[in-house]
Amino acid sequence: MFGLLCLVLLSSVVAEKEVTVLVINRVNAGRTCPPYDGTVVVPRLEEKATLLTVMEQAQHQGSFTFGYTLHPKWGAQINTINGLSADSSANQYWEILGGPDMEPTEFGASSYVPADGEEVLFRLVTFGNDISYALPCYCHPWTALFWALLVAFW
């Protein structure tokens, strides 16, 4: 009887995770550090929740909105975040960065499964603009400004 009770209690425990969604609106910002134009912490997610599910939950919280086009082969293509649309005529798209090194994700929002405690960044970029790197994020704001100006005028 005790064993059955333990089995019932263990089966009702669901692994949960928390993911933070970050947004940078400035086109080709080239940075991954603050300031962010949007930050949403999404708690109590199922362990296997995809980024698309995270975004849907963030939208239900009311401080984040997004739109996407569903491609039958590649899944959701994010085209709008917080009212800002990627301009396809200007070759813009929403880049997704995540993981411990805040690098471009290997998968899109439909397939990417963020880890517990992960921060996922959306930033608006242009095709062909070689910003697959991230500017160093130092504590002092003048250092970040220096790097931003250096890259802008390089």
Side-chain angles (χ1 to χ4, degrees), residues 5-90:
L5 178 61
C6 287
L7 182 61
V8 170
L9 289 175
L10 287 175
S11 66
S12 65
V13 175
V14 176
E16 292 184 342
K17 67 180 175 183
E18 176 179 284
V19 176
T20 302
V21 176
L22 307 168
V23 180
I24 295 177
N25 292 341
R26 186 173 160 256
V27 179
N28 299 324
R31 62 181 166 80
T32 59
C33 53
Y36 300 114
D37 299 300
T39 302
V40 182
V41 177
V42 185
R44 298 183 308 275
L45 293 158
E46 289 185 21
E47 188 177 9
K48 294 186 179 189
T50 64
L51 181 55
L52 189 59
T53 301
V54 172
M55 296 170 72
E56 289 167 345
Q57 292 299 317
Q59 189 161 265
H60 286 299
Q61 291 182 12
S63 58
F64 177 82
T65 61
F66 75 101
Y68 66 94
T69 305
L70 190 58
H71 188 280
K73 198 174 196 179
W74 299 304
Q77 178 184 356
I78 309 303
N79 48 33
T80 304
I81 293 182
N82 293 339
L84 183 61
S85 295
D87 182 357
S88 60
S89 67

Side-chain angles (χ1 to χ4, degrees), residues 19-20 22 32 36 51 96-107 112-122 134:
V19 176
T20 302
L22 307 168
T32 59
Y36 300 114
L51 181 55
I96 306 170
L97 297 100
D101 297 325
M102 194 61 76
E103 295 180 340
T105 61
E106 189 175 329
F107 302 103
Y112 185 67
V113 178
D116 181 32
E118 185 171 342
E119 293 182 331
V120 177
L121 172 65
F122 289 90

Side-chain angles (χ1 to χ4, degrees), residues 81-145:
I81 293 182
N82 293 339
L84 183 61
S85 295
D87 182 357
S88 60
S89 67
N91 296 326
Q92 295 175 351
Y93 70 101
W94 283 101
E95 182 179 37
I96 306 170
L97 297 100
D101 297 325
M102 194 61 76
E103 295 180 340
T105 61
E106 189 175 329
F107 302 103
S110 303
S111 301
Y112 185 67
V113 178
D116 181 32
E118 185 171 342
E119 293 182 331
V120 177
L121 172 65
F122 289 90
R123 68 180 179 190
L124 195 57
V125 297
T126 305
F127 297 134
N129 188 352
D130 187 25
I131 61 161
S132 58
Y133 61 89
L135 289 176
C137 292
Y138 298 103
C139 294
H140 197 283
W142 289 109
T143 306
L145 177 62

